Amino acid sequence: MKATWNGVTIAESDDTVLVEGNHYFPADSLRREYVSFSNHHTVCPWKGTASYYSLLVNGELNPEAVWYYPDPKPEAEMVKDRVAFWKGVKVEP
């Protein structure tokens, strides 16, 4: 699978986990040169507290377009050390 935004590959891996329609990529597949810090957090009742990254590609910012669970609840261990995308990031084979 490949995640792209603004014409650039953000992450690529053959090892994704599909949860609730979202592909979770291994965290080490994320191209960190396009990632910037975000203070944003949300809570999922069964996965736990999500943290976010923003993307900065070709001078354009996509705030909180990447999310991850740094300490997922036990029933969501399959997303540990993985990232997922939204906000216009294309995820396709």
Side-chain angles (χ1 to χ4, degrees):
M1 297 299 291
K2 186 190 294 192
T4 58
W5 183 70
N6 207 10
V8 172
T9 299
I10 303 302
E12 192 168 8
S13 177
D14 293 329
D15 173 29
T16 64
V17 174
L18 189 61
V19 178
E20 296 179 324
N22 296 299
H23 284 273
Y24 283 78
F25 288 69
D28 63 6
S29 71
L30 184 62
R31 295 184 61 192
R32 300 287 172 167
E33 65 266 32
Y34 300 115
V35 172
S36 62
F37 178 76
S38 169
N39 269 329
H40 191 67
H41 300 280
T42 57
V43 176
C44 170
W46 73 274
K47 290 190 291 281
T49 300
S51 295
Y52 290 77
Y53 295 123
S54 295
L55 295 174
L56 183 59
V57 177
N58 296 328
E60 289 189 47
L61 183 66
N62 191 344
E64 290 88 43
V66 184
W67 79 87
Y68 62 100
Y69 292 89
D71 188 24
K73 292 184 177 182
E75 57 269 27
E77 276 295 309
M78 76 288 280
V79 300
K80 186 167 180 59
D81 299 323
R82 293 182 175 272
V83 297
F85 304 92
W86 67 322
K87 290 187 150 185
V89 177
K90 281 194 243 175
V91 176
E92 52 198 1

